[in-house]
Amino acid sequence: MKITDKLEKHQEKSAKPTFSFEYFVPKTTQGVQNLYDRMDRMYETSFPQFVDITWNAGGGMLSQLSTDLVATSQSVLGLETCMHLTCTNMPVSEIDDALQRAYESGCENILALRGDPPLNSKEWTPVEGGFRYAKDLVKYIREKYGDHFGIGVAGYPEGHPEDNDDRDKLVEYLKEKVDAGADFIITQMFYNADIFIKWCEAVRAAGVSVPIIPGIMPITTYAAFLRRAQWCEINVPDEFMKKLDAVKDNDQTVREIGTDLLVSMCQKLLDSGFVNHLHIYTMNLEKAPIMILERLGLLPTDKDVSDAAVAVLPWRKSL
Ligand code: FAD
């Protein structure tokens, strides 16, 4: 089922907000097995609307791992799965292979991205005969597969590190991706709800009406919190710095306080009326995402679970 159809089912103002989980592809066979077990457990505890699998921006074998994981998640674990797909080091023939594998495994959602530069390389350059921008990939998927796939694209509430000066321009580029055929947006992580809400206003004012899904990065350790914020060049509100810096040597307390900060931020996003779905970057960890959802009151009740079991067994779908 397409992500947009799932979101539409929960669109009324009174509807309980929904959520989804992102996972990345581990590098070892044991890591992959551990991840399957974790995805399975997290599904049983929380019933996400969908999961998505990141794309290893290297092409070749690395990318093969992503398509394998998508196929297993969708057709063996039975989770509604969105495959990230990037243009980095990907000639059109490899993009075709990846899309065909996704199609054959029953996957109906693609997050179409340009991709990060490959490892050990600072600058992004297109491969010969490949695509330059995410919008080119969106257009290609639409031309080739019509409406089979729901297509998402990336949004940057605080600008893109390569291209940060003109925020209006970035909203224009986002609109180009949607005009090329995308039907939902997932955002880069952020910690400042006010910046996100202002950006949503600008996106809507530019005539972009597809659903916006905020990307939420749990706080697990102080070092990871700082590193990720610096890497993505995002604003860290004073309240976050003050509260986390004071307990930085105690991971458990950082996680507790970090969860409270993110719960307040998520509540503000949900209250803004721009979003009714949260996308959690799990970093393949279980505890912090579940703590956030629990404190927001978004985990399913026993009744939700038994209703869903009657409706969907033996095949898994979310609530
Ligand atoms: P684009 O929208 O094509 O933008 C790329 C650059 O070109 C930007 O600087 C943009 O400002 C500029 N640009 C866009 N259109 C134009 C135009 N018309 N004229 C001039 N300049 C233009 N990376 C991975 O490798 N694997 C993943 O799985 C992955 N998942 C992600 C998930 C999310 C939700 C997000 C937010 C990012 C993810 N990324 C991933 C990172 C992403 O690939 C990088 O941020 C990448 O640098 C930009 O990708 P994009 O799809 O936004 O590209």
Side-chain angles (χ1 to χ4, degrees):
M1 189 177 186
K2 289 196 185 128
I3 288 171
T4 40
D5 292 336
K6 285 181 165 256
L7 296 181
E8 207 167 308
K9 280 207 314 192
H10 294 263
Q11 219 175 27
E12 298 102 63
K13 274 229 150 90
S14 57
K16 190 170 172 178
T18 53
F19 54 87
S20 47
F21 295 138
E22 179 191 282
Y23 299 100
F24 66 85
V25 185
K27 291 200 170 55
T28 63
T29 316
Q30 186 58 51
V32 170
Q33 187 51 53
N34 291 344
L35 178 60
Y36 289 147
D37 293 344
R38 184 162 297 137
M39 288 165 77
D40 204 44
R41 274 197 310 273
M42 288 177 80
Y43 177 83
E44 293 295 342
T45 325
S46 63
F47 287 84
Q49 291 291 301
F50 66 94
V51 300
D52 60 347
I53 306 294
T54 62
W55 189 259
N56 275 317
M61 275 308 290
L62 283 174
S63 305
Q64 171 85 25
L65 289 174
S66 296
T67 46
D68 287 351
L69 217 139
V70 167
T72 305
S73 171
Q74 179 77 46
S75 62
V76 181
L77 298 183
L79 309 180
E80 201 67 66
T81 305
C82 174
M83 180 175 86
H84 294 203
L85 181 60
T86 75
C87 310
T88 308
N89 280 353
M90 291 284 286
V92 174
S93 60
E94 286 193 32
I95 284 182
D96 280 338
D97 290 349
L99 289 170
Q100 188 58 24
R101 269 213 84 200
Y103 179 85
E104 283 164 7
S105 67
C107 169
E108 290 179 63
N109 296 284
I110 306 285
L111 188 68
L113 301 144
R114 185 203 64 179
D116 284 326
L119 278 182
N120 306 325
S121 167
K122 275 208 156 156
E123 241 177 68
W124 197 93
T125 44
V127 286
E128 209 178 316
F131 300 124
R132 177 77 191 81
Y133 295 117
K135 67 175 175 180
D136 305 325
L137 178 58
V138 173
K139 195 158 165 267
Y140 183 75
I141 300 171
R142 276 282 169 252
E143 277 167 9
K144 192 136 192 201
Y145 284 89
D147 281 339
H148 173 77
F149 290 113
I151 305 178
V153 288
Y156 301 87
E158 301 186 47
H160 185 271
E162 274 170 43
D163 206 347
N164 226 339
D165 301 336
D166 187 346
R167 297 286 167 88
D168 292 345
K169 205 115 231 132
L170 283 171
V171 172
E172 252 174 59
Y173 296 157
L174 179 63
K175 185 167 187 311
E176 286 177 3
K177 295 196 269 193
V178 173
D179 290 346
D183 39 26
F184 63 97
I185 297 163
I186 303 186
T187 77
Q188 181 62 284
M189 60 174 284
F190 58 92
Y191 291 125
N192 189 321
D194 294 330
I195 293 180
F196 173 84
I197 291 167
K198 269 210 165 125
W199 175 79
C200 287
E201 286 164 2
V203 170
R204 293 296 183 235
V208 176
S209 58
V210 299
I212 298 173
I213 301 179
I216 309 298
M217 179 66 81
I219 295 172
T220 46
T221 67
Y222 185 72
F225 153 72
L226 276 191
R227 192 176 58 244
R228 288 176 187 141
Q230 278 162 7
W231 168 257
C232 298
E233 299 181 17
I234 56 168
N235 173 272
V236 178
D238 286 347
E239 187 192 9
F240 278 60
M241 268 325 286
K242 261 193 217 138
K243 288 191 170 165
L244 293 170
D245 191 61
V247 295
K248 63 183 172 191
D249 295 325
N250 184 331
D251 288 351
Q252 203 182 330
T253 314
V254 166
R255 194 163 54 212
E256 280 290 331
I257 292 178
T259 299
D260 284 342
L261 289 164
L262 286 178
V263 166
S264 304
M265 182 186 91
C266 289
Q267 197 55 60
K268 199 163 176 182
L269 306 182
L270 296 169
D271 292 344
S272 76
F274 284 111
V275 300
N276 203 32
H277 183 98
L278 305 170
H279 185 61
I280 305 198
Y281 295 122
T282 67
M283 303 312 289
N284 292 1
L285 298 172
E286 200 166 336
K287 210 167 181 171
I290 298 293
M291 276 166 70
I292 294 173
L293 295 171
E294 195 170 26
R295 289 183 198 179
L296 280 165
L298 297 186
L299 290 182
T301 60
D302 289 348
K303 183 173 179 314
D304 293 334
V305 174
S306 67
D307 289 353
V310 169
V312 301
L313 279 175
W315 197 243
R316 290 173 146 187
K317 291 284 169 207
S318 49
L319 294 174

